[in-house]
Amino acid sequence: MAERLLALMDHLGIRITHLAAQMLGDIAELAEGHPERLGGVVLALPTRLAPAPFKRVSRRLLMIASERGPSAEVTERATSLLPAARRHCLASYEAQTWTDAVAERKEEIAGAMTRFLQSLEASEPCAPALKGSHAGISYEIAGSGPALLLLPFFFAPSQWVPALPALARHFTVITLGGPHLGGVAALEDRARSPSYRALFQALVALLEPQKGAKVLEVGCGAGSLARLFVRS
């Protein structure tokens, strides 16, 4: 994933970028292997956090967590291993994996990100277009100023939308998406796992679907299992 992100940054004319993400797998390799390309890093309500890849950027790291829930627990544990990092807690708030936190606490989240990132250096991009795709990553650009890459929350890049007006007043905000990032990538990887496929095939066999039957999948995510079902 790091090579894709670096290729996109080069395509957009960004030497050093600010970056915000929820899913650590999207950015851990970049933070560990290329810390010089990151001005500031925001981990927005992560539900899992292995601190080791972020040691080289810990002085430029902000962890945003809810007062209760998985993000509270993992970021609190991480502070002992990343003492130079900052932590912002959303008081009286509980976030779960499915929580739409930016919509519910947009002013506080955008404000915490802005105050933290404004003290750190990042490049102003010279992008060839305001919307496009490169290295398998789609992007949309708004605002002006230092570059801020927004990687998707678990569900979708659109979860950042409520905070975009506030962030775009201070940064060139580049919202990223596509099949290689966020929850889409995680769901597709899981669907390719042989053990998960075997489990799913056993479930289909138990359902005994008949030709012409209608099947409703509730919470289909990226549609990974629906495609497997059609091919069954």
Side-chain angles (χ1 to χ4, degrees):
M1 195 62 240
E3 294 307 315
R4 291 183 185 275
L5 289 171
L6 289 171
L8 177 67
M9 288 171 61
D10 291 340
H11 176 71
L12 299 177
I14 303 169
R15 176 59 191 166
I16 302 173
T17 188
H18 297 319
L19 182 154
Q22 181 186 43
M23 298 190 67
L24 283 300
D26 287 341
I27 62 169
E29 184 183 354
L30 182 62
E32 187 171 36
H34 304 274
E36 74 285 353
R37 301 295 300 269
L38 298 178
V41 179
V42 177
L43 304 182
L45 295 115
T47 55
R48 296 181 181 180
L49 205 171
F54 297 93
K55 285 185 178 180
R56 299 178 70 185
V57 296
S58 62
R59 294 185 180 277
R60 308 191 300 276
L61 175 64
L62 170 66
M63 297 178 287
I64 298 178
S66 58
E67 185 175 352
R68 301 180 300 278
S71 69
E73 298 164 8
V74 300
T75 56
E76 188 172 6
R77 287 196 299 268
T79 54
S80 62
L81 298 173
L82 300 171
R86 299 265 304 273
R87 183 173 181 265
H88 179 89
C89 183
L90 303 175
S92 304
Y93 189 67
E94 180 173 355
Q96 301 295 334
T97 305
W98 56 86
T99 303
D100 205 1
V102 177
E104 296 173 354
R105 301 293 285 265
K106 62 182 179 181
E107 291 87 358
E108 186 174 359
I109 290 175
M113 290 175 61
T114 300
R115 289 189 297 273
F116 178 74
L117 295 175
Q118 281 186 316
S119 65
L120 300 167
E121 178 188 358
S123 308
E124 293 198 18
C126 48
L130 295 181
K131 184 176 182 179
S133 179
H134 187 78
I137 301 175
S138 60
Y139 66 87
E140 293 190 26
I141 301 177
S144 61
L148 170 58
L149 300 183
L150 299 180
L151 283 81
F153 269 71
F154 184 84
F155 289 115
S158 59
Q159 288 184 279
W160 284 108
V161 167
L164 288 185
L167 293 173
R169 287 197 290 269
H170 305 279
F171 307 100
T172 299
V173 182
I174 307 168
T175 307
L176 307 184
H180 303 290
L181 294 172
V184 172
L187 293 173
E188 294 290 348
D189 286 344
R190 184 179 69 174
R192 285 192 289 267
S193 165
S195 59
Y196 199 84
R197 281 177 174 247
L199 177 66
F200 182 70
Q201 293 295 342
L203 176 62
V204 173
L206 287 172
L207 289 174
E208 297 183 339
Q210 302 300 310
K211 185 176 180 179
K214 295 181 179 180
V215 178
L216 172 64
E217 182 185 0
V218 179
C220 61
S224 312
L225 299 184
R227 294 196 299 274
L228 285 179
F229 184 83
V230 169
R231 293 195 293 268
S232 297

Coordinates of all heavy atoms in Angstrom, one line a residue, residues 47-113:
T47 N -9.8 1.4 15.8 CA -10.3 0.3 16.6 C -9.2 -0.8 16.9 O -9.4 -1.6 17.7 CB -11.5 -0.4 16.0 OG1 -11.2 -0.8 14.6 CG2 -12.7 0.6 15.9
R48 N -8.1 -0.7 16.1 CA -6.9 -1.5 16.4 C -5.7 -0.7 16.2 O -5.7 0.2 15.3 CB -6.9 -2.7 15.4 CG -8.1 -3.7 15.6 CD -7.9 -4.9 14.6 NE -9.0 -5.8 14.7 CZ -9.2 -6.9 14.0 NH1 -8.2 -7.2 13.1 NH2 -10.2 -7.7 14.2
L49 N -4.7 -0.9 17.0 CA -3.5 0.0 16.8 C -2.3 -0.8 17.3 O -2.1 -1.0 18.5 CB -3.7 1.3 17.7 CG -2.9 2.5 17.2 CD1 -3.4 3.7 18.0 CD2 -1.4 2.3 17.4
A50 N -1.4 -1.2 16.4 CA -0.1 -1.7 16.7 C 0.9 -0.5 16.7 O 1.1 0.0 15.6 CB 0.3 -2.8 15.7
P51 N 1.4 -0.1 17.8 CA 2.1 1.2 17.9 C 3.5 1.2 17.1 O 3.9 2.2 16.7 CB 2.4 1.4 19.4 CG 1.3 0.6 20.1 CD 1.1 -0.6 19.2
A52 N 4.1 0.0 17.0 CA 5.5 0.0 16.5 C 5.7 0.7 15.2 O 6.7 1.4 15.1 CB 5.9 -1.5 16.4
P53 N 4.8 0.5 14.2 CA 5.1 1.2 12.9 C 5.1 2.7 13.0 O 5.6 3.4 12.1 CB 4.0 0.7 12.0 CG 3.5 -0.6 12.6 CD 3.7 -0.4 14.1
F54 N 4.6 3.3 14.1 CA 4.4 4.7 14.2 C 5.4 5.4 15.1 O 5.4 6.6 15.4 CB 3.0 5.1 14.7 CG 1.9 4.6 13.7 CD1 1.4 3.4 13.8 CD2 1.6 5.4 12.6 CE1 0.4 2.9 12.9 CE2 0.6 5.0 11.7 CZ 0.1 3.7 11.8
K55 N 6.4 4.6 15.5 CA 7.4 5.2 16.4 C 8.2 6.3 15.8 O 8.6 7.3 16.4 CB 8.4 4.1 16.9 CG 7.8 3.1 17.9 CD 8.8 2.1 18.5 CE 8.1 1.2 19.5 NZ 9.1 0.2 20.1
R56 N 8.5 6.2 14.5 CA 9.3 7.2 13.8 C 8.6 8.5 13.5 O 9.2 9.5 13.1 CB 9.9 6.6 12.5 CG 10.8 5.4 12.8 CD 11.4 4.8 11.5 NE 12.4 5.7 10.9 CZ 12.9 5.4 9.7 NH1 12.5 4.3 9.0 NH2 13.8 6.3 9.2
V57 N 7.2 8.4 13.6 CA 6.4 9.7 13.4 C 5.7 10.1 14.7 O 4.8 10.9 14.7 CB 5.4 9.5 12.3 CG1 6.2 9.3 11.0 CG2 4.5 8.3 12.5
S58 N 6.1 9.5 15.8 CA 5.3 9.7 17.1 C 5.2 11.2 17.5 O 4.2 11.6 18.0 CB 5.9 8.8 18.2 OG 7.2 9.2 18.5
R59 N 6.2 12.0 17.2 CA 6.2 13.4 17.6 C 5.2 14.2 16.7 O 4.9 15.3 17.0 CB 7.6 14.0 17.5 CG 8.5 13.4 18.6 CD 9.8 14.1 18.6 NE 10.7 13.6 19.6 CZ 10.7 13.9 20.9 NH1 9.8 14.8 21.3 NH2 11.5 13.3 21.8
R60 N 4.8 13.5 15.5 CA 3.9 14.2 14.6 C 2.6 13.4 14.5 O 1.9 13.5 13.5 CB 4.6 14.3 13.2 CG 6.0 14.9 13.2 CD 6.6 15.2 11.9 NE 6.7 14.0 11.0 CZ 7.7 13.2 11.0 NH1 8.7 13.3 11.9 NH2 7.8 12.2 10.2
L61 N 2.3 12.7 15.6 CA 1.1 11.9 15.6 C 0.0 12.3 16.5 O 0.3 12.6 17.7 CB 1.5 10.4 16.0 CG 0.4 9.4 16.1 CD1 -0.3 9.1 14.8 CD2 1.0 8.1 16.7
L62 N -1.2 12.4 16.0 CA -2.4 12.7 16.9 C -3.3 11.6 16.8 O -3.7 11.1 15.7 CB -3.1 14.0 16.4 CG -4.4 14.3 17.0 CD1 -4.3 14.6 18.5 CD2 -5.1 15.4 16.3
M63 N -3.7 11.0 18.0 CA -4.7 10.0 18.0 C -6.0 10.6 18.6 O -6.0 11.2 19.7 CB -4.2 8.9 19.0 CG -3.0 8.2 18.5 SD -2.4 6.9 19.6 CE -1.7 7.9 21.0
I64 N -7.1 10.5 17.8 CA -8.4 10.9 18.2 C -9.2 9.7 18.7 O -9.3 8.7 17.9 CB -9.1 11.7 17.1 CG1 -8.3 12.9 16.7 CG2 -10.5 12.1 17.5 CD1 -8.9 13.7 15.5
A65 N -9.7 9.8 19.9 CA -10.4 8.6 20.4 C -11.7 9.1 21.1 O -11.9 10.3 21.5 CB -9.6 7.9 21.5
S66 N -12.7 8.2 21.2 CA -13.9 8.5 21.9 C -13.6 8.2 23.4 O -12.6 7.6 23.8 CB -15.0 7.6 21.5 OG -14.7 6.2 21.5
E67 N -14.5 8.7 24.3 CA -14.3 8.5 25.7 C -14.5 7.0 26.1 O -13.8 6.5 27.0 CB -15.2 9.4 26.5 CG -15.0 9.3 28.0 CD -15.9 10.2 28.8 OE1 -16.6 11.1 28.2 OE2 -15.9 10.2 30.0
R68 N -15.4 6.3 25.3 CA -15.6 4.9 25.6 C -15.6 4.2 24.2 O -15.8 4.8 23.2 CB -17.0 4.7 26.2 CG -17.2 5.5 27.6 CD -18.6 5.3 28.2 NE -19.6 5.7 27.3 CZ -20.0 7.0 27.2 NH1 -19.4 7.9 27.9 NH2 -20.9 7.4 26.4
G69 N -15.4 2.9 24.3 CA -15.3 2.1 23.1 C -13.9 1.7 22.7 O -13.0 2.0 23.4
P70 N -13.8 0.9 21.6 CA -12.5 0.4 21.2 C -11.4 1.4 21.0 O -10.3 1.2 21.4 CB -12.9 -0.3 19.9 CG -14.3 -0.6 19.9 CD -14.9 0.5 20.7
S71 N -11.8 2.6 20.4 CA -10.7 3.6 20.1 C -10.1 4.1 21.5 O -9.0 4.5 21.5 CB -11.2 4.7 19.3 OG -12.2 5.5 20.0
A72 N -11.0 4.2 22.5 CA -10.5 4.7 23.8 C -9.5 3.7 24.3 O -8.4 4.1 24.8 CB -11.7 4.8 24.7
E73 N -9.8 2.4 24.2 CA -8.9 1.4 24.8 C -7.6 1.3 24.1 O -6.5 1.3 24.7 CB -9.6 0.1 24.8 CG -10.9 0.1 25.7 CD -11.8 -1.1 25.4 OE1 -11.4 -2.0 24.6 OE2 -12.9 -1.1 25.9
V74 N -7.6 1.3 22.7 CA -6.4 1.0 22.0 C -5.5 2.3 22.0 O -4.2 2.1 22.1 CB -6.7 0.6 20.5 CG1 -7.4 -0.7 20.5 CG2 -7.3 1.7 19.7
T75 N -6.0 3.5 22.0 CA -5.2 4.6 22.0 C -4.6 4.9 23.4 O -3.5 5.4 23.5 CB -5.9 5.9 21.5 OG1 -7.1 6.1 22.4 CG2 -6.4 5.8 20.1
E76 N -5.3 4.5 24.4 CA -4.8 4.7 25.8 C -3.6 3.7 26.0 O -2.6 4.1 26.6 CB -5.9 4.4 26.8 CG -5.5 4.7 28.2 CD -6.6 4.6 29.2 OE1 -7.7 4.2 28.8 OE2 -6.4 5.0 30.4
R77 N -3.7 2.5 25.5 CA -2.6 1.6 25.6 C -1.4 2.1 24.8 O -0.2 1.9 25.2 CB -3.0 0.2 25.1 CG -3.9 -0.6 26.1 CD -4.0 -2.1 25.7 NE -4.5 -2.3 24.4 CZ -5.8 -2.5 24.1 NH1 -6.7 -2.5 25.1 NH2 -6.2 -2.7 22.9
A78 N -1.7 2.7 23.6 CA -0.6 3.1 22.7 C 0.2 4.3 23.3 O 1.4 4.4 23.0 CB -1.2 3.5 21.4
T79 N -0.4 5.1 24.2 CA 0.3 6.2 24.7 C 1.5 5.8 25.5 O 2.5 6.6 25.6 CB -0.6 7.1 25.6 OG1 -1.2 6.3 26.6 CG2 -1.7 7.8 24.7
S80 N 1.5 4.7 26.1 CA 2.7 4.2 26.9 C 3.8 3.9 26.0 O 5.0 4.0 26.5 CB 2.3 3.0 27.8 OG 1.9 1.9 27.0
L81 N 3.6 3.4 24.8 CA 4.6 3.1 23.9 C 5.0 4.2 22.9 O 6.0 4.2 22.3 CB 4.2 1.8 23.1 CG 3.9 0.6 23.9 CD1 3.4 -0.5 23.0 CD2 5.2 0.1 24.5
L82 N 4.1 5.2 22.8 CA 4.3 6.4 22.0 C 4.1 7.6 22.8 O 3.2 8.4 22.6 CB 3.3 6.4 20.8 CG 3.4 5.2 19.8 CD1 2.2 5.2 18.9 CD2 4.7 5.1 19.1
P83 N 5.0 7.8 23.8 CA 4.8 8.9 24.7 C 4.9 10.3 24.1 O 4.3 11.3 24.7 CB 5.9 8.8 25.8 CG 7.0 8.0 25.1 CD 6.2 7.1 24.1
A84 N 5.5 10.4 23.0 CA 5.6 11.7 22.3 C 4.4 12.1 21.5 O 4.2 13.2 21.1 CB 6.8 11.8 21.4
A85 N 3.5 11.1 21.3 CA 2.3 11.4 20.5 C 1.2 12.1 21.3 O 1.3 12.1 22.5 CB 1.7 10.0 20.0
R86 N 0.3 12.8 20.6 CA -0.8 13.5 21.2 C -2.0 12.7 21.2 O -2.2 11.9 20.2 CB -1.0 14.8 20.5 CG 0.2 15.8 20.6 CD 0.1 16.8 21.7 NE -1.1 17.6 21.7 CZ -1.3 18.7 21.0 NH1 -0.3 19.1 20.2 NH2 -2.4 19.3 21.0
R87 N -2.9 12.9 22.1 CA -4.2 12.1 22.2 C -5.3 13.1 22.5 O -5.2 13.9 23.4 CB -4.2 11.0 23.2 CG -5.4 10.2 23.3 CD -5.2 9.0 24.2 NE -6.3 8.1 24.3 CZ -7.3 8.2 25.3 NH1 -7.2 9.1 26.2 NH2 -8.3 7.3 25.3
H88 N -6.4 13.1 21.6 CA -7.5 14.0 21.8 C -8.7 13.1 22.1 O -9.1 12.2 21.3 CB -7.8 14.9 20.6 CG -9.0 15.7 20.8 ND1 -8.9 17.0 21.4 CD2 -10.3 15.5 20.5 CE1 -10.1 17.5 21.4 NE2 -11.0 16.7 20.9
C89 N -9.4 13.3 23.2 CA -10.5 12.4 23.6 C -11.9 13.2 23.3 O -12.0 14.3 23.8 CB -10.4 12.0 25.0 SG -11.7 10.9 25.6
L90 N -12.8 12.5 22.6 CA -14.1 13.1 22.4 C -15.0 12.8 23.7 O -15.4 11.7 23.9 CB -14.8 12.5 21.2 CG -14.0 12.6 19.9 CD1 -14.7 11.9 18.7 CD2 -13.8 14.1 19.5
A91 N -15.2 13.8 24.5 CA -15.8 13.6 25.8 C -17.3 13.1 25.6 O -17.9 13.6 24.7 CB -15.7 14.8 26.6
S92 N -17.7 12.3 26.5 CA -19.1 11.8 26.5 C -19.6 11.2 25.2 O -20.7 11.4 24.7 CB -20.1 13.0 26.9 OG -19.7 13.6 28.1
Y93 N -18.6 10.5 24.6 CA -18.9 9.9 23.3 C -18.4 8.5 23.3 O -17.3 8.2 23.8 CB -18.3 10.7 22.2 CG -18.7 10.3 20.8 CD1 -20.0 10.5 20.3 CD2 -17.8 9.8 19.9 CE1 -20.3 10.2 19.1 CE2 -18.1 9.4 18.6 CZ -19.4 9.6 18.2 OH -19.8 9.3 16.9
E94 N -19.2 7.6 22.7 CA -18.8 6.2 22.5 C -18.8 5.8 21.0 O -19.9 6.0 20.4 CB -19.7 5.2 23.3 CG -19.3 3.8 23.1 CD -20.1 2.8 24.0 OE1 -20.9 3.3 24.8 OE2 -19.9 1.6 23.9
A95 N -17.7 5.5 20.5 CA -17.6 5.1 19.0 C -17.3 3.6 18.9 O -16.5 3.1 19.5 CB -16.5 5.9 18.4
Q96 N -18.1 3.0 18.0 CA -17.9 1.6 17.6 C -17.4 1.6 16.1 O -17.3 2.7 15.5 CB -19.2 0.8 17.8 CG -19.7 0.8 19.2 CD -18.8 0.1 20.2 OE1 -18.0 -0.8 19.8 NE2 -18.9 0.5 21.4
T97 N -17.2 0.4 15.6 CA -16.7 0.3 14.2 C -17.6 1.0 13.2 O -17.2 1.6 12.3 CB -16.5 -1.1 13.8 OG1 -15.6 -1.8 14.8 CG2 -15.9 -1.3 12.5
W98 N -18.9 0.9 13.5 CA -19.9 1.4 12.5 C -20.3 2.9 12.8 O -21.1 3.4 12.1 CB -21.2 0.5 12.6 CG -21.7 0.4 14.0 CD1 -22.6 1.3 14.6 CD2 -21.4 -0.6 15.0 NE1 -22.9 0.9 15.9 CE2 -22.1 -0.2 16.2 CE3 -20.6 -1.7 15.0 CZ2 -22.1 -1.0 17.3 CZ3 -20.5 -2.5 16.1 CH2 -21.3 -2.1 17.3
T99 N -19.8 3.5 13.8 CA -20.2 4.8 14.2 C -19.8 5.9 13.2 O -18.7 5.8 12.7 CB -19.6 5.2 15.6 OG1 -19.9 4.2 16.5 CG2 -20.0 6.6 16.0
D100 N -20.7 6.8 12.8 CA -20.4 7.8 11.9 C -19.9 9.1 12.6 O -20.6 10.1 12.8 CB -21.7 8.2 11.1 CG -21.3 8.8 9.7 OD1 -20.1 8.9 9.4 OD2 -22.3 9.1 9.0
A101 N -18.7 9.0 13.2 CA -18.2 9.9 14.1 C -18.0 11.3 13.6 O -18.3 12.3 14.3 CB -16.9 9.4 14.7
V102 N -17.6 11.5 12.3 CA -17.3 12.8 11.8 C -18.6 13.5 11.6 O -18.7 14.7 11.9 CB -16.6 12.7 10.4 CG1 -16.4 14.1 9.8 CG2 -15.2 12.0 10.6
A103 N -19.7 12.9 11.2 CA -21.0 13.5 11.1 C -21.5 14.0 12.5 O -22.1 15.0 12.6 CB -22.0 12.6 10.5
E104 N -21.2 13.2 13.5 CA -21.8 13.5 14.9 C -20.9 14.4 15.7 O -21.4 15.1 16.5 CB -21.9 12.1 15.6 CG -23.0 11.2 15.0 CD -23.0 9.8 15.6 OE1 -22.2 9.5 16.5 OE2 -23.9 9.1 15.2
R105 N -19.6 14.5 15.4 CA -18.7 15.4 16.1 C -17.8 16.2 15.2 O -16.6 16.3 15.4 CB -17.9 14.6 17.2 CG -18.7 13.8 18.2 CD -19.5 14.7 19.1 NE -18.7 15.3 20.1 CZ -18.5 14.8 21.4 NH1 -19.1 13.7 21.7 NH2 -17.7 15.4 22.2
K106 N -18.3 16.6 14.1 CA -17.5 17.2 13.0 C -16.7 18.4 13.5 O -15.5 18.6 13.1 CB -18.4 17.6 11.8 CG -19.4 18.6 12.1 CD -20.3 18.9 10.8 CE -21.4 19.9 11.1 NZ -22.2 20.2 9.9
E107 N -17.3 19.3 14.2 CA -16.6 20.6 14.6 C -15.4 20.2 15.5 O -14.3 20.7 15.3 CB -17.5 21.5 15.4 CG -18.6 22.2 14.5 CD -19.9 21.3 14.5 OE1 -19.9 20.2 15.1 OE2 -20.8 21.8 13.8
E108 N -15.6 19.3 16.4 CA -14.5 18.9 17.4 C -13.4 18.2 16.6 O -12.2 18.5 16.9 CB -15.0 18.1 18.5 CG -14.0 17.9 19.6 CD -14.5 17.2 20.8 OE1 -15.8 16.9 20.9 OE2 -13.8 16.9 21.7
I109 N -13.8 17.2 15.8 CA -12.7 16.5 15.1 C -12.0 17.4 14.1 O -10.7 17.3 14.1 CB -13.4 15.3 14.3 CG1 -13.9 14.3 15.4 CG2 -12.4 14.6 13.4 CD1 -14.7 13.1 14.7
A110 N -12.7 18.2 13.3 CA -12.0 19.1 12.4 C -11.1 20.1 13.1 O -10.0 20.4 12.7 CB -13.0 19.8 11.5
G111 N -11.6 20.6 14.3 CA -10.9 21.5 15.0 C -9.6 20.9 15.6 O -8.5 21.6 15.6
A112 N -9.7 19.7 16.2 CA -8.5 19.1 16.7 C -7.5 18.8 15.7 O -6.3 19.0 15.9 CB -8.9 17.8 17.4
M113 N -7.9 18.3 14.5 CA -7.0 18.1 13.4 C -6.3 19.3 12.9 O -5.1 19.4 12.7 CB -7.7 17.4 12.2 CG -8.2 16.0 12.5 SD -9.2 15.3 11.2 CE -8.1 15.4 9.8

